[in-house]
Amino acid sequence: MLFRPREAGPVDCPSDRDADPPMTTPRYSFWSLFREGLRGHGGWTPAWRDASPKRRYDAVIIGGGGHGCATAYYLAKEHGLTNVAVLEKGWLGGGNAGRNTTIVRSNYLYDASAAIYDHAMQLWKGLGRELNFNVMMSHRGVLNLAHDDGEMRQLKRRIEANRLNGVDAEWLDAKQVKDFCPPINITTDVRYPVLGGTLQRSGGVNRHDAVVWGYARAASALGVDIIQNCEVTGIDVAKGRVRGVDTTRGTIHTSKVASVAAAHTSVVAKMVDLRLPIESHPLQALVSEPVKPVLPCVVMSNAVHAYCSQSDKGELVIGAGIDPQLSYTQRGGFHVIEEEIAALLELFPSFSRMKLMRHWAGTVDVCPDASPIISKTPIEGFYVNGGWGTGGWKATPGSGHVFADLVANDAPNAVAAPYTLERFRTGKLVAEHGAAAVAH
Amino acid sequence: MLLIPCPYCGERDQDEFGYGGEANVARPRDPASLDDAAWAEFVFMRTNNKGVFAERWVHAAGCRRWFNVLRDTATDRVLASYRIGEPAPAIHDDGLATPAGEPAIGSGNRPVVGDCGR
């Protein structure tokens, strides 16, 4: 396999310099805020170095979203690998990290899923403190509603499975649901009446930008180069080993390439002629005009196909199911959100006169078993973390943590082991569709 | 929302159609001889390319017939539709211009050519 030729345009040549000029990362604290308040906020410095590429790195991470920056941070912090670059083709956190509905939970059915999502949940709990960056983590509780007997049985089974795995979960009947979340309509004269629901109290929402920026800042402080506007256009492989990457900002030599490219995972994998079971779909989301606090928790419903929370700014953040077709356009169809809003209004009739302010779509990388791929590949030194589908945000810290371990040690740890690419050959899938369904 | 040209009924709203995913994933002729890797390739592995993509649609709320569409997954532009069993038409298209006329670098604005990612 050869370098894919650069198509056109000047590139700045990476130099052999040791590093960018050192930049100290001052600690954020109440006192720094107070001091800067008195000084008119003139003394803040950039949170991370906007690095330009060096000629050689020990490891290159493709993708500067939440998972990519988390991987870089844990590589540097836990494995001492600091000569690492994060290559982001756009701006940091501008892909799916900036387009999701920031719901965090870990109430998955299977042991393998509970292990990785609850690993992430434990990291979320201390993340703001660890990164010295307010990620606005709010453990306000996640409700998953049941609308028929079958779903009720399924959700109760899930609660028992959660408890066995040490994940907090409890059952609420319809009245308890109403007490916990007053705006929900629990009347029975609707198409999908609310019969009850599961509650994970540790679940909640956080701030997407802050998570990515916090990880980038912490990784940069440890010596990682965060390189934006740098798209990987080819991967150099010789004798089955990775030798480097070709980018829009020049060639970089490295022996380890870690792809965390989300929707573009298949595009990156094609550079090394690797076929993956991933399909990229649009996933849409919307926010309403800001209103006073009305929704105290996250509400998800698989049957009516809706999930909703209220941001700290007061906007309702509403998620939809994926559009059926494959697409990289970050655009979805109106009929999908029309159904979504119809479902939401049956749950919350009081929202019917709210105006929607913004609407967007991300591109999600869906695996056939709705579980991610965190894996080595037949190409030595090329690692894949992708296929998170519609539910990657909640896993961000856990995903970065176990992927860093895989990249550093060239072997998966116990949490990452079930997510090997091999499972599609052996048939040992982690089929979470039943447990998580559409509202993932 | 896509406007999909059904080769039997003409252009219709996407809402009338069901999606069948990647086209031309051929069923193995001799299933008994396949090893696990070959089954994985058939059942799970997909092209998922960014560019011209051959896919199947069914006109569920219309003639209820299956057909193939060539669509650019980078732009959602529908390039052609054709009946099952017909060869895919050749596509030659310059793709969308970059916003500020900068050189086409990277995966977002490669020229569109009709190899359907393979």
Side-chain angles (χ1 to χ4, degrees):
Chain A
M1 276 161 275
L2 297 167
F3 274 82
R4 191 167 286 212
R6 277 194 299 281
E7 278 162 329
V11 290
D12 54 327
C13 211
S15 61
D16 254 336
R17 72 196 155 65
D18 291 333
D20 285 285
M23 191 186 93
T24 53
T25 305
R27 249 190 104 67
Y28 296 146
S29 65
F30 172 76
W31 293 112
S32 67
L33 191 63
F34 184 71
R35 194 181 61 235
E36 288 303 323
L38 293 179
R39 290 177 181 173
H41 294 286
W44 297 114
T45 53
W48 65 84
R49 285 177 298 112
D50 194 13
S52 45
K54 287 193 284 181
R55 198 179 289 277
R56 181 178 295 278
Y57 288 97
D58 292 340
V60 163
I61 295 165
I62 304 175
H67 291 234
C69 290
T71 304
Y73 170 68
Y74 292 116
L75 267 179
K77 180 184 165 242
E78 306 219 335
H79 305 282
L81 217 58
T82 56
N83 186 25
V84 171
V86 176
L87 306 183
E88 167 54 48
K89 73 170 178 172
W91 68 92
L92 217 58
N96 288 352
R99 290 165 184 272
N100 69 91
T101 50
T102 71
I103 297 169
V104 168
R105 63 186 179 91
S106 62
N107 52 354
Y108 280 73
L109 178 65
Y110 292 117
D111 295 350
S113 314
I116 190 155
Y117 289 106
D118 209 52
H119 181 47
M121 178 61 87
Q122 301 315 318
L123 291 168
W124 280 123
K125 286 176 180 171
L127 193 65
R129 193 173 291 267
E130 168 158 8
L131 299 180
N132 180 229
F133 205 99
N134 184 4
V135 298
M136 296 167 73
M137 185 69 227
S138 159
H139 299 279
R140 61 183 66 174
V142 174
L143 267 176
N144 289 74
L145 301 177
H147 301 274
D148 59 53
D149 287 346
E151 202 174 11
M152 236 160 60
R153 274 194 296 275
Q154 171 65 24
L155 286 184
K156 285 182 175 174
R157 176 188 173 213
R158 201 166 99 190
I159 287 179
E160 302 304 335
N162 289 159
R163 286 180 176 165
L164 288 171
N165 280 316
V167 176
D168 79 289
E170 57 196 276
W171 176 257
L172 304 184
D173 63 24
K175 183 170 178 313
Q176 289 169 315
V177 166
K178 181 81 178 167
D179 288 344
F180 189 77
C181 184
I184 287 188
N185 175 25
I186 57 163
T187 55
T188 51
D189 60 343
V190 291
R191 175 74 179 82
Y192 294 104
V194 174
L195 302 181
T198 69
L199 172 63
Q200 183 179 17
R201 289 185 191 273
S202 60
V205 290
N206 51 28
R207 177 73 201 170
H208 53 90
D209 301 319
V211 172
V212 183
W213 296 342
Y215 270 123
R217 173 172 172 267
S220 180
L222 293 170
V224 171
D225 277 1
I226 308 284
I227 302 163
Q228 301 181 87
N229 298 311
C230 180
E231 179 170 356
V232 172
T233 54
I235 298 173
D236 181 25
V237 175
K239 294 178 187 157
R241 287 186 61 98
V242 165
R243 294 199 313 187
V245 293
D246 204 13
T247 77
T248 51
R249 293 177 69 175
T251 300
I252 296 170
H253 299 285
T254 183
S255 58
K256 289 186 175 189
V257 172
S259 166
V260 203
H264 283 75
T265 301
S266 301
V267 176
V268 172
K270 199 184 170 199
M271 296 173 188
V272 294
D273 286 341
L274 179 67
R275 273 167 71 79
L276 295 174
I278 290 173
E279 295 192 300
S280 299
H281 294 268
L283 176 64
Q284 304 181 67
L286 321 92
V287 293
S288 74
E289 59 189 324
V291 291
K292 287 183 179 177
V294 287
L295 192 59
C297 59
V298 182
V299 178
M300 314 181 75
S301 166
N302 290 349
V304 306
H305 221 132
Y307 42 101
C308 187
S309 65
Q310 190 171 18
S311 73
D312 292 345
K313 213 195 297 180
E315 300 159 327
L316 294 175
V317 184
I318 302 160
I322 58 169
D323 282 49
Q325 77 277 9
L326 271 56
S327 178
Y328 290 84
T329 53
Q330 298 179 322
R331 279 172 181 78
F334 187 75
H335 60 297
V336 175
I337 53 172
E338 188 181 16
E339 283 169 25
E340 149 84 11
I341 295 299
L344 188 81
L345 291 186
E346 192 172 273
L347 282 179
F348 302 101
S350 58
F351 293 170
S352 65
R353 288 183 203 131
M354 290 187 73
K355 291 182 172 61
L356 293 171
M357 302 291 282
R358 297 191 304 282
H359 158 238
W360 66 92
T363 309
V364 294
D365 39 334
V366 179
C367 259
D369 60 352
S371 289
I373 296 166
I374 308 167
S375 183
K376 293 171 70 169
T377 66
I379 298 98
E380 207 177 323
F382 183 71
Y383 306 89
V384 173
N385 182 354
W388 288 92
T390 56
W393 179 256
K394 65 177 83 69
T396 302
S399 158
H401 194 260
V402 300
F403 194 46
D405 198 85
L406 171 63
V407 172
N409 299 325
D410 199 41
N413 64 18
V415 176
Y419 298 107
T420 162
L421 198 50
E422 276 292 287
R423 75 178 188 269
F424 297 98
R425 189 178 59 75
T426 61
K428 202 174 177 195
L429 305 180
V430 188
E432 272 293 345
H433 266 303
V438 290
H440 203 54
Chain B
M1 187 179 283
L2 305 173
L3 198 59
I4 295 174
C6 170
Y8 304 97
C9 310
E11 284 192 335
R12 298 295 167 87
D13 188 301
Q14 181 188 347
D15 222 2
E16 292 186 14
F17 296 86
Y19 190 60
E22 184 173 340
N24 310 320
V25 181
R27 229 187 140 66
R29 287 194 180 280
D30 182 15
S33 69
L34 259 57
D35 61 6
D36 289 350
W39 272 118
E41 174 64 29
F42 168 66
V43 176
F44 295 121
M45 301 302 163
R46 292 294 177 263
T47 306
N48 195 30
N49 59 309
K50 187 172 185 176
V52 179
F53 180 60
E55 61 191 1
R56 300 178 303 161
W57 290 87
V58 57
H59 197 177
C63 63
R64 301 180 67 184
R65 279 188 276 197
W66 285 92
F67 57 94
N68 292 332
V69 167
L70 290 183
R71 183 172 54 91
D72 186 348
T73 57
T75 61
D76 267 354
R77 202 150 38 144
V78 175
L79 301 162
S81 71
Y82 54 102
R83 299 177 185 199
I84 300 285
E86 288 178 357
I91 299 296
H92 292 287
D93 188 301
D94 292 335
L96 293 186
T98 53
E102 70 271 29
I105 300 178
S107 62
N109 39 37
R110 289 214 172 97
V112 175
V113 287
D115 67 345
C116 308
R118 286 183 186 268

